[in-house]
Structures are given as structure tokens and as C-alpha cells.
Amino acid sequence: MKSIIERYSKQKEECQPLLNPASEVKLWKREAASLRKELQCLQEYHRQLMGEELSGLSIKNLENLENKLEKSMKGVRIKKDQILTDEIKELSQKGNLIYQENQELHKKVDLISQENAELRKVYGERNVDEANRASRPPYTVENGYDLHAPIRLQLSQPQPQPQPHNSEAPASSMKLG
């Protein structure tokens, strides 16, 4: 397309004083015909590249077409390989960063575990329980006993209740059963 425009500009500069409207129309008709012919050739070539309308081609033309297709495929494969290689490098770098971050987090967890172990040694388990109790919200209900102490229950015989003198049961007692 550029070459056509350049040819037109060049011819226009050369023939500027000679061009009249009729000759300019003829020039445009020649250019339109040339462009139609070029478009037909390109469409035919495109169909051949797509594997259509190959019946009129000679062996040599078919070999040339095959070579062009192989070169094109080689270029496509090179581009695809380059893109995949770049993606692999990028993912590898991300993986390394994540691995390093994971290592740092493991170190922090180990450090915190060591600090907790040292605090338990220094303050003892009872002080840790007191600190836990102090950190509870104010609405927590406690009975004041050690929650982890064993509970011992004993059965005992019920004590007889004194009976009132009248035969009716007092109004405050409950009837069970």
C-alpha cells in the first residue's frame, strides 16, 4: 500500500502541470485495477496457505509453499518456546521468593516458641496460669478452685428432716415423683 501511495505521489509531482480531471480519473482507475489484482493474488495465496485450492499448483510450487509454511511454523514455535521459557523463569522466581518467605516465617515461629519456652522456665506454669486468668474478660465466672485439680465426690446418707407437729406437709416443701 505504501508503495502505491509513493508511486502516486511521485507521478503527481512529475505530471502536476499536465494533469487534468480526465487524466486523474484514468490514473485512479489504473490504481484501483492494480489494487484489485493484488487483492486477488493475496486472497489466492492465503487460501493456498490454508491448504485450499492446491490442485492447480505444480510440484515446485507445492514445495515452495511447504517450505514457507515450515519457516512460519518454525517462527511460531520459537516464539511459543520463548514465551514459555519466560513464564517458567517468572514462576521459578516467584517460587524462590515464596520459599524464602516460608523459611523466614519458620524462623519466626521457632524464635517465638523458644521465647515461650524461656518464659515458662522463668515464670513457671503457675504464673502463666495466673497471667491467663488475668487476661480473661471481666464477665468470666470462676469458682476460685484449680480447674485442673482432680475432683473427689463421696456419697452420704440423707439426714432426716424434722417433721412439723401437724399432719399436713408444710407449704414450702416440694412433692417429688
Side-chain angles (χ1 to χ4, degrees):
M1 188 66 147
K2 256 185 178 179
S3 65
I4 294 171
I5 293 172
E6 288 173 3
R7 283 190 320 203
Y8 171 74
S9 298
K10 187 176 179 182
Q11 189 166 353
K12 188 175 179 181
E13 289 172 5
E14 292 174 358
C15 301
Q16 187 69 24
L18 301 175
L19 285 181
N20 61 26
S23 63
E24 193 170 338
V25 169
K26 286 182 183 178
L27 173 70
W28 281 112
K29 284 184 179 181
R30 282 194 312 257
E31 287 297 321
S34 172
L35 286 174
R36 267 191 232 104
K37 187 175 182 179
E38 187 177 342
L39 178 63
Q40 286 175 345
C41 289
L42 288 172
Q43 286 174 339
E44 183 181 337
Y45 182 67
H46 179 263
R47 285 191 292 272
Q48 289 173 353
L49 287 175
M50 298 303 290
E52 301 169 0
E53 298 182 18
L54 300 175
S55 60
L57 296 178
S58 66
I59 296 293
K60 186 170 184 163
N61 289 341
L62 287 171
E63 286 176 352
N64 288 337
L65 182 62
E66 185 180 19
N67 290 335
K68 287 178 183 178
L69 287 171
E70 284 177 1
K71 284 182 183 178
S72 296
M73 285 298 294
K74 185 177 179 182
V76 169
R77 286 185 185 120
I78 289 171
K79 182 65 176 174
K80 183 182 89 172
D81 288 345
Q82 181 63 43
I83 289 172
L84 289 175
T85 302
D86 292 345
E87 286 181 8
I88 289 170
K89 285 179 184 177
E90 182 180 336
L91 290 174
S92 178
Q93 289 172 349
K94 284 181 182 179
N96 287 336
L97 290 174
I98 290 172
Y99 177 77
Q100 290 173 355
E101 185 178 337
N102 191 22
Q103 292 296 327
E104 291 173 13
L105 290 173
H106 274 292
K107 288 178 184 177
K108 287 180 182 179
V109 167
D110 290 342
L111 182 65
I112 290 172
S113 296
Q114 288 175 354
E115 289 175 356
N116 283 341
E118 290 173 8
L119 284 174
R120 284 191 182 108
K121 287 179 186 175
V122 171
Y123 293 107
E125 286 295 324
R126 177 147 322 267
N127 288 344
V128 170
D129 286 341
E130 290 172 8
N132 285 342
R133 232 180 263 137
S135 68
R136 289 186 186 142
Y139 51 81
T140 303
V141 178
E142 292 185 9
N143 60 7
Y145 295 104
D146 186 8
L147 296 177
H148 301 292
I151 297 175
R152 294 189 181 107
L153 300 175
Q154 293 180 348
L155 291 176
S156 61
Q157 293 294 324
Q159 299 296 323
Q161 296 286 333
Q163 294 278 334
H165 291 295
N166 49 1
S167 62
E168 293 179 10
S172 64
S173 68
M174 291 178 50
K175 201 176 204 184
L176 298 176

